[in-house]
Amino acid sequence: MTVIDKQMKAVILAGGLGTRISEESHLKPKPMIDVGGRPILWHIMKICSHYGINDFVICLGYKGYKIKEYFSNYFLYNSDVTFDFQSNSMDVHNKHAEPWKVTLVDTGDDSDTGGRLRRVRDYLGDQPFLFTYGDGVADINIEQLVAFHQSHGKLATVSAVLPPGRYGALECDGDKVNGFREKPRGDGGMINGGFFILNPAVVDYIADDTTSWEQAPLNNLAADGQLQAYRHDGFWHAMDTLRDKNHLDGLWKSGKAPWKVWP
């Protein structure tokens, strides 16, 4: 029996400027940039939905109306449709709807990550929730993540991941090259991979709109002994640059996207 409550919510940050991928983000919010023909936000939601989390609170900011338009027209994007201009009617065929409830909240163009979470407090309820970024995918087992959070009883759990390597590494013996390793994973140091499980009380650690979640709140939670790390050794990748986008797009199109945990 799953440990995930059917009422568990997922809060997704989707309001940043995405300046490092401005080739695309000047037209749309970064979570709406396509991977394999679908916004990366959709991929993140599909991961959550696979584990029974279907109630989403999405924190909007920069060009948030683009995300509102996407969900308001979700049937049109995912179904066949007939427009009859003589009768001024529209018929949607083969409707395919995800079992999702999606709450879109304007959290301000200039709010920082903590400020955005603080602004959605009224939508969180009283139970633990998943909190993540709208630009990163992983083959993380959310059921195990939630079970880990329940087991330690602290306010917060962060998924710790090894960052993907950016460059290949030479294996040298002095000046002699013995081999080449393609893109080794980081330097062994774990980083914040998003996919937090949080109790609503963590919002008390956020001062105002200017608060970065990754700074004072996480540091103070750690200092109070309220932050635990769930180690994820599998696939994780953030879409920070156009190169990242193309890499993820290539994985999806090859049929080898590790984060596609759903059927």
Side-chain angles (χ1 to χ4, degrees), residues 169-181:
L170 295 173
E171 295 179 343
C172 295
D173 182 6
D175 295 332
K176 181 177 179 294
V177 177
N178 292 326
F180 183 86
R181 288 186 295 124

Side-chain angles (χ1 to χ4, degrees), residues 67-206:
I67 298 177
K68 289 182 179 179
E69 288 174 354
Y70 175 75
F71 285 107
S72 68
N73 293 305
Y74 193 81
F75 272 137
L76 295 182
Y77 291 128
N78 294 280
S79 306
D80 299 329
V81 60
T82 297
F83 295 98
D84 188 330
F85 294 102
Q86 280 191 321
S87 63
N88 192 27
S89 64
M90 178 184 74
D91 291 323
V92 179
H93 313 287
N94 303 318
K95 294 181 181 179
H96 175 72
E98 308 290 349
W100 294 346
K101 177 182 177 183
V102 183
T103 302
L104 305 172
V105 184
D106 183 358
T107 57
D109 284 355
D110 300 320
S111 297
D112 211 321
T113 49
R116 295 191 189 283
L117 177 56
R118 184 173 178 267
R119 285 214 186 186
V120 300
R121 174 64 184 90
D122 290 344
Y123 299 95
L124 298 180
D126 299 321
Q127 300 303 312
F129 60 94
L130 184 143
F131 179 53
T132 196
Y133 305 101
D135 62 357
V137 289
D139 60 353
I140 188 168
N141 187 314
I142 294 176
E143 186 171 334
Q144 293 179 4
L145 172 64
V146 172
F148 176 78
H149 180 78
Q150 292 174 336
S151 71
H152 62 64
K154 306 299 183 183
L155 292 180
T157 297
V158 57
S159 296
V161 301
L162 285 170
R166 294 284 180 179
Y167 305 100
L170 295 173
E171 295 179 343
C172 295
D173 182 6
D175 295 332
K176 181 177 179 294
V177 177
N178 292 326
F180 183 86
R181 288 186 295 124
E182 182 65 18
K183 295 181 181 178
R185 295 180 63 190
D187 59 3
M190 306 292 281
I191 65 168
N192 164 19
F195 293 96
F196 297 86
I197 302 295
L198 304 174
N199 290 7
V202 301
V203 177
D204 296 336
Y205 284 77
I206 302 170

Side-chain angles (χ1 to χ4, degrees), residues 2 29 31 67 72 166 174 198 208 210 235 240 261:
T2 179
I67 298 177
S72 68
R166 294 284 180 179
L198 304 174
D208 53 36
T210 66
F235 177 87
D240 290 326
V261 294

